[in-house]
Each structure stands twice: as structure tokens, then as C-alpha cells.
Amino acid sequence: MKKVPLHTRIFIGLFLGVVAGLILGPKARNIEFVGTIFIRLITMVVVPLVFFSLALGTASLGDIKKLGRVGLKTFLYFTLTTAIAITIGLSAANLLKPGTGLNEQVKQELLKNYQQAAQSKISLVQEKPSLISVLVNIVPANPVKAMAEGEMLQVIFLALIFGLCLSLIRPEKSKPILQLFEGINETVLQVVNLVMKFAPYGVLALLASIIGQFGLSILVTLLKYALVTILGLAFQALVIDGLLVRFLGRMKPGRFFKGISDAMLIAFSTSSSNATIPVALECLDELKVKKEYSSFVVPLGATINMDGTALYQGVAAVFIAQIYGIPLSLAAQATIVLMAILASVGTAGVPGAGMIMLAMVLKQIGVPLEGVALILGVDRLLDMCRTTVNMIGNMAASVIIHRSEEKSTAGQV
Ligand code: ASP
């Protein structure tokens, strides 16, 4: 097994997980804890990894102007790609009309069966946060609390300030700190390597328990909706991200996708952008994307840039409206674009978060919130797919930001 590359082993784990889930059915739940341990292990390194690698990257950048420029570019790129993603979602749903053909009886059954689960999601919907409060919340009042609670934007802010100030103090003072940080960073990366050896088993257990609990009949009922979403997601990842990496990042898409395959598999099986951050950083390192860009773009993107989630919200909103027979005007669709961009900022990179934000989108366009019950049955499967696309988008962004800042292309440096 030693010589088999890791991504192949993870893939085998994924495949065996599906088989085990089909054979064991709901009993597969008994091995879920193996997957949970894996997710906890990989999540354990997220905060230290983001803090130390970003602080180091910023310190080596040491240029506030460059920092501002990279920040602005990243932000514009994120907004643009999210807008493209949601437009693809809306177009696919308008063209392929997944909501037609679902009869009244099935609708009532779905509403009844998933009512309770939907209510618990809806109860989590908060009022749309104001832009000001989002901005204020980026600044941590207490750095320890920010880290302890894994507030990613606050941790990023801390690392940026800390790294910048490290570059401003006298070298004899900063040198030992930089050396210490480098040592810690290396160690944390070593932890990631170690944990990833366990990935095939974790992935096997996760997939087995998801498939074991998944009703095949619900997938058949919602097949059209699931297929339209997956088609849209595949288009976003393979065509849009592929082209962007090719032309803006100057990297062959084949090389890109091969290089990030570990991260794609982990995103798919954990449904969590946050848990995928460490592996994504490793993959980008192998692709020779400089850490000063990847350690900024990836954690920030995992928190605020979710192309897959935005696309899914477009499809889901139109689907639910179609089932309720509510026509969506152009203005309503424009509201969806805006709301989904905001929602993608507000969605946490954890499983199922996109669903809660979807309820917020529905509220804005006057579609009954209970409608989320209609799609809950297949949400986990779609969550796996959209999380993968979320992280592909963030890794593509890193390649592109690297290319736009450096004269050389990633991989040639
Ligand atoms: N699970 C997704 C993520 O972590 C968020 C979502 O539910 O859409 O990226």
C-alpha cells in the first residue's frame, strides 16, 4: 500500500465507504466515529496553521501597499466568481425547470416528512446582518477568544496585523520570533501529513455512514433537482474555474485538478470547507503557489467565498418557487443574485450551513421558508458536491492571485 499515492488511497476509501454503506445500511452509523475523529484531527490544526502561516507570509511580504492590493484583488475576484456561479445556478434552473413534474402528493409528503428538520433549520435563520456589524466583527476584541472559537475572519485579521508589525520592528527583535513561527509552522504541517495518513479510513467511515442513512428513494424523487444542481456545479468547476486557471493563472487545468485532488476528496467527504483548509494549503504548496498568497486566499475564501453554495442556492430557490407555483420576476432573480452573494459571505464553512442561508434568501423573495423541507432529503449529498466546488474556487483563486502578483507562473517559481 506504501507506494500507492495518497489520493488513490483516499479514493479507494471513498469507494469502499459507499460499498460498506450500501451493505450495512443504517448500521453503518456505528463506524461514523472513525470519520468524526478524522474531522476533529484535521480541524484541530486549522487555527494554528492559518495564524502562523499567514503571519509568516505577511511578515515576509512586509509591504502594506502590496497587502492592500492583494486583498482588494482577492475580494474582487471572489465577488466576480460568486456572481458567475449564482448566474449559472439560476440559468440552469430556469432552463431545465427541475420543479416541474413533481406532483402535489409527493410535495405534500416531502413537506410532512421533513417538516421538523426544516423547522430546526429555519429557527436558526437570523435577521440579515448589517454590513457595518459584519465589518465591526472582523476586529477581535479578544485574540484568545477569536482563536478559541475559531472565528476565521478574526484570526485572519490578527495574523495580518501581527505579521505586518513583525516586519516593522527591528530585525534583531523579530528574527527569533520569525524562527519560532517557522518552526511551529513546519510542525503543524507535519501534523497535517500525519493526520492525512489516516484520511482513507476516515473517508471510508464518513461515506459509509452517509450512504447507509441515505434513502435511495428520496434521491429518485428529487433526481431532477439533484441532477440540475450537480450539472451546474460541474460546469462551474470544470469550465469556469478551468478556464480561469488556464487563462488568468496560466496553469494547465489538468495539472491544477491533479494537484488539488487530495483537497477535493477531503472537501467531498467532510462537507466542510474549514476542515479542508490544511489539505488545500498542502496541495497548493506542491503546486508551488507561494504561501504568502495561499495562506491568505484559502482561509479567507473558505469563510467568505462559496461559489458552489451560491450556485446551489440559485437552483434551490427557483426549484422551490416552481413547486409552489410562484413566478420569479427578473427583479426577484436579481435579489437572489445579491442575497446569494451575501449569503456566501455569511455561510460558515461547515456541513449544512448553506441550507440555513438558503432560508434567508427565500425570505427575501417571498417564497415560503417551509419549502426547505422539499430539498432536505438530498441536502447532504449536494452539500458534499457544493463544498468541493467551494474549495476548487478558492484554490483556483490562489493560483490566479499568485500569477497576478508574481511575474512567474505557479509551478515555475
Ligand atoms: N458545507 C459547505 C462548506 O463548508 C457550506 C454549505 O453548506 O453550503 O463549504
Side-chain angles (χ1 to χ4, degrees), residues 271-274 306 309 347-355 383 386-387 390:
S271 288
S272 167
S273 293
N274 273 359
M306 301 199 172
T309 300
T347 308
V350 293
M355 184 64 130
D383 194 2
R386 64 185 190 245
T387 306
N390 288 343

Side-chain angles (χ1 to χ4, degrees), residues 198-216:
F198 182 57
Y201 309 99
V203 166
L204 189 156
L206 285 172
L207 259 288
S209 97
I210 291 167
I211 298 289
Q213 288 166 62
F214 199 73
L216 218 55

Side-chain angles (χ1 to χ4, degrees), residues 7 85 114 200:
H7 58 88
Y114 290 95

Side-chain angles (χ1 to χ4, degrees), residues 46-75:
V46 171
V47 169
L49 185 62
V50 170
F51 180 78
F52 289 107
S53 65
L54 187 54
L56 271 173
T58 315
S60 68
L61 216 65
D63 176 352
I64 193 156
K65 262 205 212 124
K66 185 169 177 185
L67 201 66
R69 193 177 62 233
V70 170
L72 189 68
K73 263 191 220 171
T74 308
F75 193 72

